[in-house]
Amino acid sequence: MKSTANESNLVKVNVWDLFIRIFHWLLAVLIVVMLVSANFGYFDIHITTGKTIVILVIARLIWGIVGSSNARFTALVFKPSAYINYIKTLPQRKPGYSLAHSPIGSLAVIAILGFLVFQLTTGLFAADVDGLVEGPFAYYISYELSRTASDLHLQNVDWLISIIVLHIAANLFYYFYKRDNLIKPMFTGSRSVPKDKSQDPPRLASPWRGLIVVAIVAAIMIWIYVQYG
Ligand code: HEM
Ligand code: HEM
């Protein structure tokens, strides 16, 4: 049978390392916690969770230098022609079997991380009107400047949410229109692809390396929060 022959041609490839998967789903949950805590006025939770996300995102940025080949920043930048060629394949209703972020996916990753870094930085220095709710480093700058940080913090939320909604919509487009399930590999780490697409698998870094990066970043940041926060 044709379908069986096709299926037997598929090979399993490990695409996402444990660090990226834990980072991704933890980040998604914690961002929801940030939005809920801010909207209901639970600022103790907002600031503690915010400090945790800062650790997570710094670790991800370092993973962009020392992590798996498909998590590195070098894997997120493409030649201009690659974006154009990739866009041309989008209307095709078949999976792309990619083993890394696609050119357009990479733009989304860069945008999400960029808006997130801005959200976190402004949060660290933000203070409310009467100075009762403050980010850990607001103390080091003037009241006016922390109010500006607050304004930017609020304005950036809309951008951050918009890009995340677009990101989720893109995943649903791949799932329903292109019949390409990108979501499962973000949980399991692996995906099945035809043999000819599996020739150049990503070189995945070990979970131990991920743990060391997180432990070092967490130790330094907790020390900074305790000493200066
Ligand atoms: C994903 C990250 C974040 C999101 C989505 C987020 C979201 C928000 C939102 C929606 C508000 C407005 C609440 C209101 O209407 O009064 C807010 C306020 C605030 N956030 Fe964040 N935040 C994030 C990260 C952080 C971080 C890392 C810190 C500090 C550690 C922080 C500290 C603050 C402070 C101090 C305020 C009060 C500012 C004011 O009332 O003017 N936030 N945040
Ligand atoms: C607050 C919510 C979310 C945020 C902030 C977020 C952020 C991100 C980021 C930063 C990446 C890049 C991973 C990396 O290389 O570090 C990514 C990838 C990915 N996300 Fe999300 N995400 C969110 C929700 C979701 C949801 C709900 C889904 C499932 C529907 C999803 C599915 C994926 C998939 C499949 C990838 C890999 C895409 C690819 O194959 O290139 N994300 N996300």
Side-chain angles (χ1 to χ4, degrees):
M1 260 162 54
K2 200 163 178 267
S3 65
T4 319
N6 281 343
E7 272 160 29
S8 66
N9 269 336
L10 296 179
V11 288
K12 214 172 185 187
V13 180
N14 291 326
V15 281
W16 299 119
D17 63 61
L18 194 62
F19 175 97
I20 288 291
R21 287 180 281 146
I22 294 178
F23 164 78
H24 181 265
W25 295 116
L26 199 57
L27 180 68
V29 170
L30 294 185
I31 286 187
V32 175
V33 172
M34 292 308 278
L35 292 171
V36 174
S37 59
N39 282 309
F40 287 94
Y42 293 111
F43 280 101
D44 295 357
I45 296 176
H46 190 79
I47 289 171
T48 311
T49 311
K51 287 171 166 175
T52 313
I53 302 183
V54 169
I55 294 174
L56 208 59
V57 170
I58 295 177
R60 172 61 184 98
L61 296 180
I62 294 175
W63 203 241
I65 302 165
V66 303
S68 304
S69 61
N70 60 1
R72 295 198 179 195
F73 296 124
T74 45
L76 295 180
V77 185
F78 294 81
K79 281 189 271 172
S81 59
Y83 296 100
I84 295 163
N85 292 338
Y86 187 75
I87 288 170
K88 285 185 194 154
T89 69
L90 281 180
Q92 296 166 8
R93 297 200 72 172
K94 58 176 189 188
Y97 296 116
S98 68
L99 304 177
H101 296 304
S102 70
I104 299 300
S106 298
L107 291 181
V109 176
I110 294 169
I112 295 177
L113 291 177
F115 283 111
L116 197 55
V117 166
F118 192 80
Q119 189 68 27
L120 299 172
T121 313
T122 51
L124 290 172
F125 293 95
D128 70 351
V129 205
D130 30 45
L132 290 177
V133 179
E134 283 189 333
F137 306 138
Y139 175 76
Y140 295 98
I141 60 174
S142 68
Y143 172 78
E144 286 74 26
L145 217 53
S146 38
R147 288 302 301 146
T148 307
S150 258
D151 290 344
L152 295 172
H153 191 68
L154 260 176
Q155 286 163 24
N156 192 61
V157 175
D158 292 343
W159 289 99
L160 183 63
I161 293 179
S162 307
I163 188 78
I164 291 172
V165 168
L166 197 67
H167 167 63
I168 295 172
N171 274 297
L172 297 178
F173 167 77
Y174 273 82
Y175 187 87
F176 289 109
Y177 182 81
K178 289 180 75 68
R179 303 184 177 98
D180 199 351
N181 188 349
L182 302 177
I183 302 163
K184 195 167 148 231
M186 230 344 149
F187 283 103
T188 62
S190 63
R191 67 177 307 186
S192 297
V193 302
K195 270 202 184 90
D196 60 316
K197 302 269 184 186
S198 69
Q199 303 306 323
D200 190 17
R203 290 175 309 284
L204 298 193
S206 92
W208 291 107
R209 189 185 294 195
L211 196 64
I212 291 169
V213 170
V214 173
I216 293 174
V217 175
I220 294 173
M221 286 313 295
I222 291 170
W223 182 80
I224 292 177
Y225 292 144
V226 171
Q227 291 293 319
Y228 304 103

